[in-house]
Amino acid sequence: MKKREFLSAAALASLALPGASQAQTSSKAMRGPVLLTIGGAIGPGNRGPVNPALDQLMVKQKVAFEKAQVFDFATLAALPAVTIKPTLEYDGKPHSLKGPLLADVIKASGARAGEGTRLMMRAIDGYVAPLTLADARKYGFIMATHLDGAPMSLGGVGPLWAVYEPDRFPEMAAKPLPDRFAGCPWGCYYIEVAAG
């Protein structure tokens, strides 16, 4: 095969890949790649079970579900946004973080969430942070999509970061700076909802 034909075929194949991953979702197609998947005790969902061939990160991290609700950037951005200004552990400076309330994202998944509902938030590096829905509401956790006005990128703390503003809570502000964010997975891509 000539180089030009190979490059054309490769380009066409790359365009087909997003459609392949979207084939698992319902007819309400995502406008962009899926950034967040919520499984467990949710509503009817908009995608089927983990695909052992295509969901490699989930398979390697032993994530399993029969149905899930998936969100792309536009779906998350359509939810009402909140801005918080925590002092971050990475540079000890306040930064602006914006995104929908985590409780609203869980509600959008169709979960019948009570105060005892438990969330297991998983980051791309495998880190898992447990959180009750009651604490998500109490501390005002958001699913941050923006840092200092710009969308967060993969390779930094994004594209999604489950985070709150510990400076506003005396019991959290009293902890050493790194300890305040132990329950805040950056690069969050999956949440397992367990009814409580």
Side-chain angles (χ1 to χ4, degrees):
M1 182 181 283
K2 294 180 183 172
K3 183 177 179 181
R4 179 179 221 127
E5 291 169 335
F6 174 76
L7 293 174
S8 296
L12 288 173
S14 71
L15 291 174
L17 287 177
S21 65
Q22 290 175 5
Q24 295 182 19
T25 64
S26 70
S27 60
K28 189 175 180 181
M30 300 281 110
R31 288 185 262 168
V34 170
L35 297 182
L36 180 66
T37 302
I38 301 180
I42 63 165
N46 62 358
R47 74 155 278 175
V50 172
N51 182 317
L54 301 179
D55 295 322
Q56 286 295 303
L57 182 61
M58 292 182 190
V59 170
K60 287 181 190 331
Q61 294 187 0
K62 298 184 178 16
V63 169
F65 52 80
E66 289 303 312
K67 63 179 178 171
Q69 185 73 30
V70 296
F71 298 84
D72 64 1
F73 187 85
T75 307
L76 291 168
L79 295 170
V82 172
T83 299
I84 62 174
K85 296 187 178 188
T87 300
L88 297 184
E89 65 178 302
Y90 306 111
D91 62 4
K93 297 177 183 175
H95 290 271
S96 175
L97 288 155
K98 181 177 116 178
L101 287 170
L102 180 57
D104 289 348
V105 176
I106 298 303
K107 183 178 178 183
S109 75
R112 290 188 201 142
E115 290 305 305
T117 300
R118 295 177 316 280
L119 311 174
M120 296 299 286
M121 304 178 294
R122 184 176 293 274
I124 57 171
D125 64 358
Y127 183 74
V128 178
L131 182 70
T132 65
L133 185 58
D135 280 347
R137 289 179 175 141
K138 173 183 173 182
Y139 293 112
F141 266 76
I142 67 170
M143 186 55 73
T145 57
H146 290 77
L147 173 64
D148 295 331
M152 294 186 297
S153 63
L154 184 61
V157 292
L160 301 176
W161 188 6
V163 66
Y164 72 117
E165 190 173 354
D167 308 2
R168 292 181 44 227
F169 303 94
E171 72 274 21
M172 296 300 181
K175 295 180 177 186
L177 196 52
D179 294 348
R180 299 176 198 173
F181 294 95
C184 302
W186 48 262
C188 185
Y189 81 96
Y190 179 73
I191 301 173
E192 180 77 23
V193 178

